[in-house]
């Protein structure tokens, strides 16, 4: 199932939702513990986990982009800047596990947007696989399929 993509006067909002058979604490650890974070997004590193703290993104060229944590509630909300955009993870306890919601607020759509959104979708699949102690066959193949689907979604919006 694809993320919900909506536009309003403030920009574009992409919302992913996953129901996981794992505790909030376990899922939270994959978002905030660098040892687990690197298993699904190797370029990200939590530097200072608090409101106003930072997360760095390794640009793979010797430089780092630093993102500010703009909303933080332990075991519940982690939101940070992503360039001009915002990425927000929310965890909601549910019977037998929790619901993970990832929302990205996008200021402007570019040709790269569907690639990034397909990437987030695959990242969530990887988190779920890691929690379930499964391995994904090919992240690249999964991404390629999702990219084509998201490209069509953004074309419908009049994007690229």
């Amino acid at each position: 199932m694809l993320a919900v993509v909506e536009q309003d006067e403030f920009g574009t909002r992409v919302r992913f939702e996953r129901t996981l058979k794992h505790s909030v604490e376990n899922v939270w650890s994959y978002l905030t513990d660098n040892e687990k974070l690197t298993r699904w997004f190797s370029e990200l590193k939590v530097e200072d986990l608090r409101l106003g703290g930072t997360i760095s993104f390794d640009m793979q060229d010797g430089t780092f982009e630093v993102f500010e944590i703009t909303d933080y509630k332990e075991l519940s909300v982690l939101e940070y800047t992503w360039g001009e955009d915002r990425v927000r993870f929310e965890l909601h306890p549910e019977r037998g596990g929790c619901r993970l919601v990832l929302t990205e607020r996008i200021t402007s759509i570019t040709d790269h947007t569907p690639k990034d959104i397909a990437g987030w979708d695959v990242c969530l699949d990887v988190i779920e696989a890691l929690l379930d102690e499964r391995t994904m066959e090919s992240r690249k193949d999964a991404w390629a399929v999702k990219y084509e689907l998201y490209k069509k979604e953004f074309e419908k919006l009049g994007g690229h």
Side-chain angles (χ1 to χ4, degrees):
M1 190 167 96
L2 293 180
V4 176
V5 181
E6 299 173 319
Q7 289 184 313
D8 60 25
E9 65 272 17
F10 304 110
T12 304
R13 184 178 76 141
V14 180
R15 186 175 192 275
F16 302 87
E17 194 168 316
R18 296 284 199 287
T19 300
L20 304 169
K21 293 177 254 159
H22 301 276
S23 69
V24 164
E25 292 81 4
N26 201 4
V27 177
W28 182 257
S29 71
Y30 276 89
L31 304 177
T32 59
D33 176 331
N34 284 325
E35 275 185 42
K36 291 181 178 179
L37 181 59
T38 193
R39 294 174 64 195
W40 65 272
F41 204 140
S42 59
E43 296 84 4
L44 281 184
K45 182 178 179 191
V46 174
E47 301 291 344
D48 185 9
L49 188 60
R50 61 177 178 83
L51 184 61
T54 56
I55 294 176
S56 64
F57 182 88
D58 185 344
M59 300 295 286
Q60 306 292 300
D61 63 3
T63 65
F64 294 84
E65 190 166 341
V66 177
F67 304 137
E68 180 186 351
I69 297 173
T70 54
D71 196 359
Y72 177 83
K73 293 177 187 74
E74 183 77 22
L75 300 174
S76 175
V77 175
L78 177 62
E79 179 183 277
Y80 46 91
T81 58
W82 189 273
E84 297 295 312
D85 302 332
R86 294 276 170 108
V87 172
R88 180 181 182 89
F89 292 91
E90 296 176 30
L91 294 177
H92 304 276
E94 292 188 346
R95 181 180 295 232
C98 70
R99 186 167 31 98
L100 168 61
V101 177
L102 166 58
T103 306
E104 183 171 3
R105 276 228 165 253
I106 303 168
T107 308
S108 57
I109 305 292
T110 69
D111 289 335
H112 208 270
T113 303
K115 295 176 184 177
D116 291 340
I117 298 306
W120 280 121
D121 203 328
V122 171
C123 282
L124 294 178
D125 291 344
V126 172
I127 291 171
E128 187 169 7
L130 289 166
L131 286 161
D132 291 345
E133 298 180 357
R134 295 183 283 112
T135 54
M136 281 189 62
E137 291 302 312
S138 169
R139 290 183 191 195
K140 190 175 182 178
D141 290 348
W143 177 87
V145 169
K146 289 178 190 246
Y147 168 62
E148 290 303 321
L149 295 170
Y150 283 114
K151 200 163 74 167
K152 290 180 179 128
E153 282 297 303
F154 282 96
E155 285 168 359
K156 284 187 223 170
L157 295 174
H160 297 273

